[in-house]
Amino acid sequence: MRSDAIKQGLERAPHRALFKALGLTDEEISRPFIGIANSVNEIIPGHIHLDKITEAVKAGIRLAGGTPIEFGAIGVCDGIAMGHEGMKYSLASRELIADSVESMAMAHAFDGLVLIPNCDKIIPGMLMAAARLNIPSVLVSGGPMMAGLHRGKEISFTQVMEGVGAVSGGRMTMDELKELEDNACPGCGSCAGMFTANSMNCLTEALGMGLPGNGTIPAVSAARIRLAKQAGMVVMNAVEKGIKPRDIMTEDAFKNALAVDMALGCSTNTVLHVPAIAYEAGVDLNLDSFNQVSARTPHLCSLSPGGMHHIQDLDQAGGVQAVMNELLKNGLIANPDALTVTGKTVKENVGNKEILRPDVIRSVSDPYHKQGGLAVLRGNIAQGGAVVKQSAVAEEALKFSGLAQCFDCEDDATAAILGGKVAKGSVVVIRYEGPKGGPGMREMLFPTASVVGMGLDKDVALLTDGRFSGASRGCCLGHISPEAAEGGNIGLIRDGDIVDIDIPARTIDVRLSQDELERRRKEWKPREPKIKTGYLARYAKLVTSAGTGAIVK
């Protein structure tokens, strides 16, 4: 066992004394040490209940003969950080989480790990650590929030954000918004739509690093507690059999996950996180892989924010495993024999899981869209790529041409939208919000939700070198690379330039000649960093482009 390095032999008597100070018996010290990375806190609704998940994991570990040892991990709530300077820290926290889990696991020689996240950056941060460490690990999330109920209609956090724009546009009263505010988020769990948190929890399951049900079993369900106990037992089996993350997170496993990503219509943020996890696992996964898988994988689920269903509906319909079974039957899973953390293959886990609600999970022969939920566009604005959730774009907005209205930060763009200064037919360009320029690549639900709330989602497009929330919908293209801070062409666009977006053709261009772009480039000057001290200043110097997953080298 790895932990023998800290507890066996004459020289380790001082170490054993410290373990006994924790209350551990000789019997507990002799067992495998399983580290539990618990990201519970009192600020994230998706994490408020993770103490209960952790206790269930500990029970499972003890049932299987191990000694659980809990430690903490940070977490940022994207919803609360949204729309102000705090959002600069959200993506950047992913690296801190990965580094801290690595530090704890290496310093204390754990034999295995159970990773307990639930929201946005915490999930990929922990998976990055697992891939980097390559010791037996399983991830079990806290589960999705139930949808709220407002006047007989299911709602979520998205409707409250869009309500801000609706009030500003005179389409809703403050009293009506208060009703939404009071009912949208009924309790613990990751926000109820196919936003970033639930996207990553579902993809963890598809990747093989989470148990079946990890992505969809509601946070308030007893089944979630049972799943956590099973995760504790599964990690002990992985320790015994030597099943490690890199045995699971292979190239085929990532292709399996991408197929599920496209079928579910996951968040655009998966295009940042999945390549970053693959990088840590030693797998080369570029943006073209997303388009290749999207081209052959139909979109089977229309989930909020693009559709009417929520994660609880997906769970009732058979969950991720039913989606995978439908893909598998139609030859759309790259490798059915890929190993998973359960010790079984993808095919064995899926079994014959049938679709229980065809209104939620459609068949491959009758999809919502013939292609997957995400698309990567390229052109003279985005030579390194731009990402759009095409499944959440209205049919009439899939091709869009308009006059650019340029803003050098999110705040100015939001103020203009809410102030009625953005006209129909405009292409709102928000730049200097990328990984380096932000710094931190802010997630922008305020401008997108404001556009939707004001009824302009079919009439206005948004482009940014930052990123959009998984809760965004409409013609919103993010992750534009190279970013403005690196001299990317998005920084050369001026008010009144004509921008052409063609999502089916995968192109995004500004109608300027190469000579004009070069002339403007000579006039362009690098900007002073927005933040010059602290963690974000260091992050800005080391982070790579969004096109490579915004990894830190």
Side-chain angles (χ1 to χ4, degrees):
M1 293 188 295
R2 289 182 81 250
S3 60
D4 286 348
I6 58 172
K7 62 188 184 185
Q8 291 293 325
L10 170 66
E11 299 85 354
R12 297 299 178 254
H15 300 65
R16 293 192 294 272
L18 292 171
F19 293 135
K20 290 176 180 179
L22 303 175
L24 296 181
T25 65
D26 286 331
E27 173 61 26
E28 287 172 303
I29 294 170
S30 71
R31 295 175 178 179
F33 279 3
I34 307 299
I36 303 175
N38 179 11
S39 56
V40 67
N41 63 39
E42 295 184 346
I43 192 68
I44 309 178
H47 288 229
I48 190 75
H49 65 304
L50 293 188
D51 54 342
K52 296 179 177 62
I53 301 295
T54 300
E55 289 307 312
V57 167
K58 290 178 182 178
I61 291 169
R62 291 188 180 110
L63 281 168
T67 297
I69 300 174
E70 177 186 349
F71 61 90
I74 66 166
V76 170
C77 178
D78 278 29
I80 295 171
M82 194 82 63
H84 60 93
E85 288 295 290
M87 180 48 79
K88 294 179 184 292
Y89 286 85
S90 175
L91 179 60
S93 73
R94 186 185 72 180
E95 317 308 314
L96 292 175
I97 292 161
D99 290 349
S100 63
V101 172
E102 175 195 356
S103 299
M104 290 297 290
M106 293 303 294
H108 303 108
F110 293 131
D111 297 298
L113 288 172
V114 179
L115 308 165
I116 308 179
N118 206 28
C119 293
D120 293 60
K121 310 308 147 317
I122 303 98
I123 306 156
M126 288 189 174
L127 286 173
M128 288 163 66
R132 188 186 301 170
L133 288 161
N134 203 34
I135 62 175
S137 304
V138 61
L139 185 146
V140 58
S141 75
M145 186 185 292
M146 300 296 285
L149 199 62
H150 176 250
R151 300 188 181 187
K153 182 181 179 182
E154 288 186 346
I155 60 170
S156 68
F157 179 72
T158 308
Q159 280 70 40
V160 187
M161 294 292 292
E162 293 174 357
V164 175
V167 171
S168 297
R171 303 170 72 239
M172 181 183 288
T173 67
M174 280 298 297
D175 286 342
E176 289 171 329
L177 179 60
K178 179 67 162 54
E179 278 190 54
L180 287 176
E181 176 187 327
D182 289 345
N183 292 292
C185 300
C188 66
S190 48
C191 294
M194 189 51 79
F195 313 142
T196 305
N198 292 323
S199 294
M200 290 308 304
N201 281 325
C202 287
L203 294 191
T204 297
E205 187 177 334
L207 189 58
M209 286 296 293
L211 304 186
N214 179 72
T216 61
I217 296 174
V220 295
S221 171
R224 176 61 57 176
I225 299 298
R226 296 196 297 272
L227 187 78
K229 289 180 183 177
Q230 291 165 357
M233 292 184 278
V234 161
V235 77
M236 291 301 298
N237 180 66
V239 169
E240 180 184 346
K241 294 184 177 178
I243 300 172
K244 298 178 181 178
R246 292 194 185 192
D247 300 328
I248 298 166
M249 290 192 275
T250 62
E251 183 177 353
D252 281 347
F254 281 103
K255 289 180 180 177
N256 289 346
L258 290 188
V260 172
D261 190 341
M262 300 307 161
L264 291 176
C266 289
S267 165
T268 52
N269 284 317
T270 64
V271 184
L272 279 176
H273 299 319
V274 175
I277 298 164
Y279 172 79
E280 296 289 356
V283 174
D284 182 21
L285 191 71
N286 57 41
L287 292 187
D288 291 332
S289 301
F290 286 82
N291 270 347
Q292 290 162 7
V293 176
S294 182
R296 64 175 179 262
T297 310
H299 177 220
L300 305 182
C301 303
S302 185
L303 301 162
S304 174
M308 59 182 287
H309 297 122
H310 294 86
I311 305 301
Q312 66 204 52
D313 299 302
L314 178 60
D315 190 60
Q316 293 164 9
V320 172
Q321 299 302 307
V323 173
M324 293 187 78
N325 190 39
E326 178 65 15
L327 295 174
L328 192 155
K329 289 189 296 185
N330 289 274
L332 295 170
I333 291 293
N335 182 6
D337 297 319
L339 180 67
T340 73
V341 74
T342 64
K344 299 177 180 179
T345 65
V346 168
K347 188 175 183 179
E348 288 171 331
N349 280 349
V350 166
N352 293 308
K353 189 75 171 182
E354 295 300 322
I355 296 170
L356 303 178
R357 285 185 56 183
D359 61 316
V360 178
I361 305 173
R362 289 192 177 183
S363 67
V364 166
S365 61
D366 180 34
Y368 283 97
H369 302 98
K370 292 181 179 179
Q371 293 189 339
L374 299 179
V376 177
L377 281 61
R378 297 184 191 271
N380 66 2
I381 293 176
Q383 300 98 317
V387 182
V388 63
K389 189 172 185 175
Q390 61 179 349
S391 58
V393 181
E395 188 74 26
E396 53 267 50
L398 289 171
K399 294 184 179 182
F400 194 100
S401 295
L403 301 180
Q405 282 187 254
C406 301
F407 303 91
D408 289 347
C409 69
E410 175 193 1
D411 312 87
D412 291 349
T414 301
I417 293 166
L418 293 176
K421 297 178 181 178
V422 172
K424 288 186 177 182
S426 296
V427 176
V428 176
V429 178
I430 308 172
R431 57 206 180 183
Y432 297 100
E433 289 286 8
K436 288 183 180 293
M441 202 180 183
R442 281 199 283 184
E443 188 171 89
M444 302 183 204
L445 183 53
F446 265 105
T448 59
S450 298
V451 164
V452 173
M454 297 182 77
L456 297 172
D457 50 308
K458 297 175 183 177
D459 303 302
V460 170
L462 293 97
L463 312 180
T464 185
D465 53 8
R467 59 197 176 92
F468 292 119
S469 167
S472 293
R473 59 190 174 105
C475 189
C476 308
L477 285 80
H479 307 198
I480 289 178
S481 302
E483 61 176 289
E486 291 184 310
N489 286 350
I490 187 173
L492 307 181
I493 300 173
R494 295 176 182 172
D495 289 347
D497 288 343
I498 300 174
V499 175
D500 297 313
I501 300 165
D502 191 333
I503 295 173
R506 304 291 192 261
T507 60
I508 175 172
D509 293 286
V510 58
R511 290 189 201 172
L512 296 174
S513 67
Q514 189 60 34
D515 287 344
E516 176 61 17
L517 285 170
E518 288 303 321
R519 187 186 69 77
R520 292 186 186 185
R521 185 178 306 284
K522 291 176 182 177
E523 297 174 358
W524 178 84
K525 294 180 181 179
R527 301 201 168 197
E528 282 287 311
K530 294 178 184 176
I531 296 178
K532 298 180 181 180
T533 60
Y535 173 55
L536 282 183
R538 299 196 305 274
Y539 178 84
K541 291 178 181 177
L542 298 173
V543 70
T544 65
S545 75
T548 58
I551 57 175
V552 167
K553 291 188 177 181

